[in-house]
Amino acid sequence: MKSSKTHENQTQRSNYAERNLWAGILFGLGLVGFIDEVVFHQLLHWHHFYDKSTSDIGLVSDGLFHAFSWFATIGSSFLIADLHRRNAFWAKRWIGGILLGGGAFQLYDGIIQHKWMRLHQIRYYVDIRPYDWVWNLIAAGMIIAGIILIARTRNRVPSRKAAS
C-alpha cells in the first residue's frame, strides 16, 4: 500500500517537475526581493530601488519593487497549492528553484542594476567594494547550490518513455 502510494507520488512529482521548479524560482525572486526591500531599503535606509531622483520618487520605486516581490510570492503560492492538490509537490526541487531564482535576482541586481544601469548602490559614501563582493558572491553561491539541487532531482525524473 505504502509502496504504491510512494510510486504514485514519484510519478506525479516527475510529471510536474517543471512546475515545482518554477514555483521555487518565483518564490526565490519574491523572497530575496522582500529581504532586500525590508532590510536595506526600509530598516537600514541604505538605498531606494531608484536613487537617481528625489526621495519621493525613490519611495514610489520601492513600492513598485515591493509589489513585484509580493506578486511573485503569491504566484508561487498558487503553484504550490496546485502541486499539493495533485500530490506532486517536490520539496528538494522547489528549494533548488528558490536558490536559483533568489540568486539570479540578486546577481542581476548586483551586476545590472548596481553597476551597469547605476539605479542604486548597496551603500553610499563608503568603500563599496566589500559590499559588492559579498552581495555577488552570495548570489553566485545560491545559484550554484540551486543548480546542484536541481540537477540531483533531474536524475531522479524517470523518462516519459520508461514511465509509459
Side-chain angles (χ1 to χ4, degrees):
M1 179 78 173
K2 186 176 180 182
S3 177
S4 68
K5 188 170 184 167
T6 303
H7 179 70
E8 177 186 329
N9 184 270
Q10 178 79 17
T11 302
Q12 283 295 91
R13 290 189 325 182
S14 298
N15 289 338
Y16 291 94
E18 292 296 318
R19 192 171 298 183
N20 273 285
L21 180 61
W22 280 107
I25 288 171
L26 275 177
F27 193 83
L29 290 170
L31 178 67
V32 171
F34 175 80
I35 291 170
D36 183 19
E37 171 66 26
V38 169
V39 174
F40 299 110
H41 297 215
Q42 295 176 1
L43 295 177
L44 297 175
H45 294 218
W46 281 2
H47 63 264
H48 295 293
F49 181 76
Y50 186 75
D51 278 336
K52 292 181 141 183
S53 185
T54 65
S55 61
D56 286 344
I57 297 296
L59 286 173
V60 169
S61 70
D62 284 349
L64 294 172
F65 177 54
H66 204 64
F68 162 77
S69 68
W70 173 254
F71 285 122
T73 305
I74 293 299
S76 172
S77 297
F78 278 106
L79 289 174
I80 292 168
D82 182 57
L83 289 166
H84 278 290
R85 183 179 62 82
R86 297 173 188 270
N87 198 23
F89 181 69
W90 196 348
K92 195 173 193 179
R93 192 162 178 88
W94 180 68
I95 291 170
I98 290 173
L99 292 169
L100 179 63
F105 171 79
Q106 190 165 324
L107 193 60
Y108 165 79
D109 186 42
I111 301 294
I112 303 297
Q113 293 181 347
H114 293 178
K115 298 304 167 198
W116 188 53
M117 297 171 72
R118 298 186 180 274
L119 295 179
H120 61 264
Q121 294 296 321
I122 295 174
R123 291 194 73 182
Y124 296 97
Y125 313 114
V126 297
D127 182 8
I128 195 70
R129 288 175 293 185
Y131 294 94
D132 285 339
W133 277 104
V134 168
W135 187 259
N136 292 326
L137 286 175
I138 289 173
M142 289 172 64
I143 291 169
I144 291 167
I147 288 171
I148 289 170
L149 278 178
I150 292 165
R152 285 185 176 177
T153 57
R154 187 177 204 169
N155 291 337
R156 293 186 180 167
V157 176
S159 69
R160 294 192 186 265
K161 287 182 181 177
S164 59

